[in-house]
Amino acid sequence: MVVGVSSPAAAAEAPTVKATSAYVVDSAGTIHLGKRETRRVPVASLVKVMTAYVVLREAHLSDTITITATDVKYAARGGAATAGLKKGERLTVRDLLYGLMLPSGADAANALARHYGPGKTAFVAKMNSTARALGLTDTRYTNADGMPTPANGGYSTAVDQARLAQQALASSTFRTVVGKETYKVAKTSLHRAHTWRNSNKLLARADGVLGVKTGYTNAAGYCLLFAGERGGRQVVGVLLNDANERRFSTAERLLDHAEEQITGG
């Protein structure tokens, strides 16, 4: 984990950011923007980054999980985004990770947490112990998806989310998943066909974008955790409580700004 070193020039010339909290750092540790970056706030579906991180540490991608009625009802009852999973389908962990991260499926999150806790309570405990192990001292999770119940999914900070993303992006599997704009699962005897589209519009707007995750709840507002390759470095940024479309245009400008700072342009 890279310790950030703030660049006064970067801070002075950074684009205007209207998100309540924001943070941009690169792999050399240069901080290109900080705005209320240590404020504890709900982060909506950015929670799923930790869900994926924990699963990737424990699971084999070829593991198969059977979707239950509870997984489906959980997402529907909360009005959450879903991967459109149906009771009785059997999908691999690899496929469920795409269902978790691209359409932000709370049904996929429930299935993964239930299986790898085992049980959701145990899984959330693993998320929190992993946060502590990574030094994310201002992060606490209450569920595996960031939904409002209980306690708004917990809380985190822009700094902690950037640090988590740096760790997660070290996994080639994670990078492959979050960098995919569309993922198709062909119909088999075990499951229906699925087509999942990434909610992260930044992938189609700029070159060299690596991912990472969108999020929204009333309490958290529109959130975006993003990353890109710029000037030979990996740049990770976080926007918390922004406007829907504005978060993508702001992220694009912040990546360009970081590149200018890195290359001296």
Side-chain angles (χ1 to χ4, degrees), residues 51-61 93 97 168 171 173-174:
T51 301
Y53 185 77
V54 171
V55 169
L56 282 167
R57 291 175 58 168
E58 302 215 349
H60 295 290
L61 295 176
V93 165
L97 285 170
S171 161
T173 300
F174 182 87

Side-chain angles (χ1 to χ4, degrees), residues 19-260:
T20 300
S21 300
Y23 187 66
V24 180
V25 65
D26 68 34
S27 51
T30 301
I31 299 168
H32 297 279
L33 179 88
K35 178 183 178 182
R36 299 189 185 95
E37 66 271 23
T38 59
R39 182 180 178 184
R40 292 179 174 182
V41 292
V43 296
S45 284
L46 302 195
V47 164
K48 295 185 177 85
V49 174
M50 180 60 89
T51 301
Y53 185 77
V54 171
V55 169
L56 282 167
R57 291 175 58 168
E58 302 215 349
H60 295 290
L61 295 176
S62 58
D63 289 353
T64 302
I65 297 176
T66 301
I67 304 304
T68 67
T70 302
D71 299 328
V72 177
K73 291 176 182 175
Y74 172 78
R77 185 173 62 246
T82 80
L85 305 178
K86 299 295 184 184
K87 175 187 174 183
E89 287 192 278
R90 296 179 62 199
L91 291 125
T92 64
V93 165
R94 184 189 300 275
D95 288 342
L96 286 173
L97 285 170
Y98 281 99
L100 174 76
M101 300 302 285
L102 272 61
S104 202
D107 43 4
N110 200 80
L112 289 164
R114 174 178 54 75
H115 191 84
Y116 288 105
K120 292 194 292 182
T121 299
F123 188 84
V124 172
K126 288 180 179 180
M127 294 170 71
N128 284 316
S129 64
T130 302
R132 290 192 296 273
L134 293 176
L136 309 183
T137 56
D138 290 306
T139 296
R140 178 177 176 269
Y141 299 102
T142 64
N143 58 37
D145 46 63
M147 286 172 64
T149 303
N152 288 320
Y155 57 79
S156 188
T157 68
V159 168
D160 278 6
Q161 287 300 295
R163 288 174 176 168
L164 174 59
Q166 288 175 324
Q167 294 291 330
L169 287 164
S171 161
S172 60
T173 300
F174 182 87
R175 288 198 310 274
T176 298
V177 171
V178 299
K180 197 87 166 173
E181 289 188 62
T182 304
Y183 183 76
K184 293 186 178 182
V185 181
K187 180 180 179 181
T188 72
S189 60
L190 301 179
H191 55 74
R192 303 182 309 144
H194 293 278
T195 298
W196 294 315
R197 293 177 175 82
N198 203 321
S199 57
N200 184 1
K201 297 179 182 179
L202 189 61
L203 286 163
R205 294 184 59 142
D207 294 331
V209 175
L210 303 174
V212 177
K213 188 74 188 73
T214 62
Y216 173 77
T217 62
N218 286 334
Y222 288 96
C223 302
L224 180 64
L225 176 57
F226 61 95
E229 297 287 351
R230 293 292 185 273
R233 301 181 191 176
Q234 183 187 92
V235 178
V236 173
V238 188
L239 296 168
L240 304 178
N241 191 23
D242 204 346
N244 187 5
E245 293 300 324
R246 187 175 64 204
R247 57 184 164 165
F248 301 112
S249 58
T250 299
E252 191 174 3
R253 290 198 306 273
L254 288 170
L255 285 173
D256 290 344
H257 167 70
E259 183 170 26
E260 289 171 4

